[in-house]
Amino acid sequence: MSEDTIFGKIARGEMDANIVYEDDMCLAFRDLYPAAPMHILVIPRKPIPRLCDAQEEDKALLGHLMLAANKVAEQEGLGDKFRLVVNNGADAGQSVFHLHLHVIGGRSLKWPPG
Ligand code: AMP
């Protein structure tokens, strides 16, 4: 689970992605298989596999990711109409084991998901 992933490769610039935002701690790129008209993934540069692997020392980074998601939503014109999703673990639908926030919007969203 601590193995390198495609998102690690994207973060290091070794694999192409449609990047819409980046800074020193994170980057955001369009999901290859969007679940909505707007579907962007925000990932930390640090390769934390799952949210449950985050440590006390990652507190500022986790906050930074959420604020980056806000910036991306604003930048993409979603305003206040978007959803943030973190799938934690395979049983919750996580398929890439590098922490990521899904920013989903551009259509009306139902609740509960899945
Ligand atoms: P999860 O299932 O929560 O781990 O989310 C992984 C997401 O990554 C899925 O929504 C995939 O569509 C997306 N994905 C997989 N490979 C790529 C890629 N190379 N570039 C962008 N998004 C990807």
Side-chain angles (χ1 to χ4, degrees), residues 15 29 37 65 74 97 112:
M15 187 178 272
F29 50 90
L65 294 176
E74 171 78 30
F97 289 86

Side-chain angles (χ1 to χ4, degrees), residues 6-7 29-33 41 87 93-96 100 102:
I6 45 173
F7 290 180
F29 50 90
R30 296 192 193 284
D31 196 293
L32 207 51
Y33 308 101
L41 303 170
N87 294 325
Q94 185 174 2
S95 59
V96 180
H100 50 282
H102 296 256

Side-chain angles (χ1 to χ4, degrees), residues 4 8 10 14 18 24 29 32 35 38 44 47 53 62-63 69 72 74 77-78 80 84 97 101 103 113:
D4 194 18
I10 290 171
E14 297 167 9
N18 192 340
D24 58 331
F29 50 90
L32 207 51
M38 195 63 70
D53 298 309
L62 296 179
V72 166
E74 171 78 30
L78 294 175
D80 62 355
L84 274 194
F97 289 86
L101 278 57
V103 184

Side-chain angles (χ1 to χ4, degrees), residues 21-94:
Y21 173 83
E22 57 185 321
D23 62 34
D24 58 331
M25 294 168 88
C26 73
L27 62 157
F29 50 90
R30 296 192 193 284
D31 196 293
L32 207 51
Y33 308 101
M38 195 63 70
H39 188 169
I40 289 168
L41 303 170
V42 180
I43 70 167
R45 293 192 184 277
K46 178 178 177 181
I48 299 168
R50 304 167 300 179
L51 179 60
C52 66
D53 298 309
Q55 302 294 313
E56 189 66 22
E57 68 192 31
D58 299 315
K59 196 189 277 186
L61 174 58
L62 296 179
H64 185 88
L65 294 176
M66 296 196 84
L67 291 176
N70 266 352
K71 282 185 194 164
V72 166
E74 171 78 30
Q75 182 184 299
E76 297 295 317
L78 294 175
D80 62 355
K81 300 174 203 59
F82 63 94
R83 178 176 291 166
L84 274 194
V85 173
V86 177
N87 294 325
N88 186 84
D91 283 352
Q94 185 174 2

